[in-house]
């Protein structure tokens, strides 16, 4: 009997003992192909990248730990320089954390402190989007909109104003173009700022491409440009959360490059050290940094283990691979291949309503009826069934419910390591097809 408080205690977890490239092996010798980068869109380089493992070994042999307020270190400085050298415009400083939740929390806390330092302490309100996820702490759950996870904590969450997501499949009206739809939902930000009082609004927070909660939904062209324009007009800071979609996953280093905008804060985690060590980071605009340095002189947040030299060493090795010759070009090619394979397999599937994503983050949204887009009833627990069926077949994937509004809808996210080959994609898509068909057959025995 386990004494560990597992997050889902009733889930029968296999014991992982070995990783090799695109595969994970459990204690019983069963092999799983990794369709979800370590089970959380983290392991972008697969499970046995020798140069990263060697970098960890070498660094841990030098020293274990010094607090980053006492000493800096060579890996910390080198990683800082790598991440800021090719950052979106204005993001010239980086603050390290241990996770994505901390990276997002850091952006919020720094934004609060920034407005205190520059004498605008009334600016405390935050606007975010429905159908979003920004991490597991109380601040993060307040920003995000994952209803089931928020529910027990609702009364103590901070008050955050939520506007519509940019979710074209369900949000665009028949007589609108994509661009018109994008402008309409971006303009909700302006209405929210005006409603709350522009002098009280501090920040707008959004995932550039959504992660699991809304199933890898990119914004339509023009959406983020309009968002940036509105933020600039009212002096509101733009926080883009790229914990999931950042650092190569979309085929470019930063997802926001493809939207043509630079935020005031940009958060990372999963792709920084590809799971070889836990680490997160928040890129910060120079004006925020300058205001804090010239003001109180100290950022008041922070975490003991942040900037751990071993984690930084792992991240440097990962970042060198991501930035190496041809790597991101290959991600674009593999992403296109993945999209083609998913469209071949599910494009005409009676229970797939939408296939979406960017680069190597794609989602298949499941529906009961393709014409009306009606989702399956939540009581069918369709996504849980897809997950179980996939795992039984040796495929690690992520299937979720609540796609439409937090309560109903199902989708499956496909985010394999960026090193996946065409053959790996064939295996992943083939097993996923079997898992979806088997799950549909369980809930609608005659229809599948
Ligand atoms: N933001 C986004 C967009 C995420 O996808 C996640 C993790 N799924 C987080 C924040 C939180 O990251 P972590 O779990 O590392 O705290």
């Amino acid at each position: 009997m386990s004494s560990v408080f597992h997050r889902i205690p009733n889930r029968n977890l296999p014991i992982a003992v070995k990783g090799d490239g695109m595969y994970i092996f459990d204690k019983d010798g069963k092999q799983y192909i990794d369709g979800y980068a370590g089970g959380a869109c983290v392991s972008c380089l697969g499970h046995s990248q020798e140069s990263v493992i060697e970098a960890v070994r070498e660094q841990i042999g030098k020293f274990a730990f010094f607090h980053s307020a006492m000493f800096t270190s060579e890996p910390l400085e080198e990683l800082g320089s790598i991440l800021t050298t090719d950052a979106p415009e204005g993001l010239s400083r980086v603050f390290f954390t241990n996770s994505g939740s901390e990276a997002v929390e850091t952006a919020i806390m720094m934004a609060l402190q920034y407005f205190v330092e520059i004498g605008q302490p009334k600016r405390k309100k935050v606007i975010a989007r429905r159908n979003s996820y920004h991490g597991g702490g109380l601040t993060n759950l307040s920003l995000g909109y994952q209803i089931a996870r928020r529910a027990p904590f609702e009364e103590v969450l901070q008050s955050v104003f939520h506007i519509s997501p940019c979710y074209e499949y369900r949000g665009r009206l028949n007589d609108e173009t994509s661009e018109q739809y994008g402008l309409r939902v971006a303009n909700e930000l302006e209405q929210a700022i005006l409603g709350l009082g522009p002098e009280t609004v501090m920040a707008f927070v959004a995932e550039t491409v959504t992660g699991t909660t809304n199933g890898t939904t990119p914004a339509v062209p023009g959406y983020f440009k309009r968002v940036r324009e509105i933020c600039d007009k009212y002096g509101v800071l733009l926080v883009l959360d790229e914990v999931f979609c950042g650092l190569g996953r979309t085929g470019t280093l930063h997802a926001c490059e493809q939207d043509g905008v630079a935020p005031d804060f940009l958060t990372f985690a999963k792709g920084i050290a590809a799971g070889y060590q836990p680490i997160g980071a928040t890129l910060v605009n120079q004006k925020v940094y300058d205001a804090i340095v010239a003001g109180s002189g100290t950022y008041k947040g922070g975490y003991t283990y942040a900037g751990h030299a071993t984690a930084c060493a792992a991240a440097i090795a990962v970042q060198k691979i991501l930035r190496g010759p041809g790597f991101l070009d290959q991600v674009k090619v593999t992403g296109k291949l993945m999209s083609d394979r998913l469209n071949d397999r599910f494009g005409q599937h009676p229970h797939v309503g939408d296939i979406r994503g960017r680069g190597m983050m794609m989602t298949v949204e499941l529906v009961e009826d393709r014409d009306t887009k009606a989702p399956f009833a939540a009581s069918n627990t369709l996504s849980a069934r897809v997950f179980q069926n996939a795992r039984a077949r040796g495929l690690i994937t992520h299937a979720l419910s609540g796609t439409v509004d937090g309560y109903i809808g199902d989708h499956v996210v496909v985010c394999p390591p960026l090193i996946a080959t065409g053959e790996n994609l064939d295996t992943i898509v083939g097993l996923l097809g079997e898992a979806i068909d088997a799950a549909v057959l369980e809930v609608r025995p005659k229809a599948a």
Side-chain angles (χ1 to χ4, degrees):
M1 233 242 311
S2 173
S3 25
V4 176
F5 190 153
H6 287 290
R7 187 137 143 208
I8 309 174
N10 291 331
R11 183 178 274 176
N12 184 18
L13 294 173
I15 301 173
V17 292
K18 181 175 148 65
D20 185 8
M22 286 288 296
Y23 287 88
I24 299 163
F25 297 83
D26 75 14
K27 206 173 172 188
D28 300 327
K30 181 166 175 167
Q31 84 171 32
Y32 302 81
I33 188 161
D34 189 357
Y36 198 51
C41 194
V42 166
S43 308
C44 56
L45 298 180
H47 301 282
S48 49
Q49 197 72 46
E50 203 40 56
S51 65
V52 187
I53 296 167
E54 194 42 48
V56 170
R57 270 201 204 106
E58 197 189 319
Q59 182 55 43
I60 195 68
K62 291 182 184 166
F63 63 87
F65 171 79
F66 288 113
H67 194 279
S68 59
M70 304 289 168
F71 286 94
T72 187
S73 71
E74 285 167 353
L76 180 66
E77 295 298 331
E78 184 178 347
L79 182 61
S81 149
I82 292 172
L83 294 176
T84 51
T85 298
D86 46 22
E89 203 188 330
L91 299 176
S92 51
R93 297 283 163 174
V94 57
F95 190 87
F96 286 105
T97 68
N98 306 291
S99 69
S101 299
E102 290 177 358
V104 174
E105 185 182 55
T106 295
I108 295 302
M109 290 176 68
M110 278 189 183
L112 277 165
Q113 191 177 332
Y114 166 72
F115 282 117
V116 171
E117 304 275 9
I118 65 165
Q120 296 184 35
K122 276 201 205 135
R123 283 200 192 254
K124 291 194 181 346
K125 292 182 186 160
V126 182
I127 301 169
R129 304 191 299 181
R130 294 190 291 278
N131 304 50
S132 61
Y133 184 70
H134 294 289
L138 285 177
T139 302
N140 309 93
L141 289 174
S142 310
L143 297 168
Y145 208 74
Q146 221 187 42
I147 307 280
R149 284 185 74 167
R150 287 171 59 109
F153 314 107
E154 205 61 63
E155 278 184 24
V156 297
L157 293 184
Q158 293 145 29
S159 115
V160 170
F161 192 90
H162 289 95
I163 61 172
S164 298
C166 188
Y167 178 15
E168 186 176 17
Y169 172 61
R170 292 195 179 272
R172 183 168 64 76
L173 304 173
N174 286 338
D175 60 356
E176 274 178 328
T177 63
S178 293
E179 285 78 5
Q180 286 166 340
Y181 164 65
L183 284 183
R184 174 165 63 81
V185 278
N187 284 335
E188 280 189 29
L189 176 61
E190 183 163 41
Q191 288 150 22
I193 292 172
L194 292 171
L196 293 167
E199 70 292 349
T200 68
V201 181
M202 172 179 96
F204 175 59
V205 184
E207 296 158 271
T208 315
V209 180
T210 66
T212 43
T213 300
N214 195 219
T216 66
T217 314
V220 299
Y223 172 83
F224 274 114
K225 283 204 167 129
R226 178 69 188 127
V227 162
R228 180 74 266 187
E229 211 172 77
I230 295 167
C231 287
D232 289 343
K233 182 169 172 192
Y234 297 100
V236 170
L237 296 173
L238 175 60
V239 180
L240 289 183
D241 181 353
E242 298 203 358
V243 165
F244 194 102
C245 64
L247 297 174
R249 175 63 49 189
T250 63
T252 49
L253 215 43
H254 311 103
C256 61
E257 287 169 46
Q258 296 179 51
D259 298 277
V261 293
D264 299 295
F265 294 95
L266 188 60
T267 59
F268 303 132
K270 301 169 187 271
I272 295 194
Y276 287 86
Q277 289 285 289
I279 176 168
T282 309
L283 288 179
V284 183
N285 190 298
Q286 184 71 30
K287 78 175 174 195
V288 174
Y289 176 80
D290 287 343
I292 292 176
V293 173
S296 64
T298 308
Y299 166 56
K300 311 291 184 197
Y303 310 96
T304 296
Y305 302 106
H308 195 289
T310 310
C312 291
I316 292 166
V318 170
Q319 294 308 309
K320 284 186 175 160
I321 294 173
L322 291 186
R323 287 160 167 80
F327 189 90
L328 290 175
D329 291 337
Q330 184 56 43
V331 173
K332 287 191 192 96
V333 171
T334 314
K336 167 82 172 61
L337 203 62
M338 189 161 95
S339 168
D340 291 347
R341 295 286 199 278
L342 289 169
N343 277 288
D344 290 348
R345 178 64 177 84
F346 300 111
Q348 301 306 316
H349 193 287
H351 296 294
V352 171
D354 193 29
I355 302 168
R356 59 173 173 266
R358 184 186 281 178
M360 288 196 65
M361 48 188 291
M362 299 285 302
T363 289
V364 173
E365 182 166 337
L366 304 172
V367 288
E368 174 127 43
D369 184 322
R370 270 172 77 107
D371 296 330
T372 63
K373 303 183 183 175
F376 281 89
S379 56
N380 285 311
T381 61
L382 186 68
S383 44
R385 292 170 189 276
V386 173
F387 174 83
Q388 292 296 352
N389 277 302
R391 202 175 70 172
R393 287 165 173 77
L395 168 66
I396 301 298
T397 190
H398 200 17
L400 285 96
S401 56
T403 325
V404 178
D405 57 0
Y407 298 101
I408 50 166
D410 300 275
H411 63 277
V412 191
V413 183
V414 186
C415 291
L418 306 179
I419 57 165
T421 62
E423 200 180 318
N424 296 145
L425 296 177
D426 287 342
T427 307
I428 290 169
V429 174
L431 292 175
L432 180 60
E434 286 178 24
I436 289 175
D437 288 345
V440 171
L441 196 62
E442 285 168 19
V443 301
R444 297 188 71 201
K446 284 185 223 116

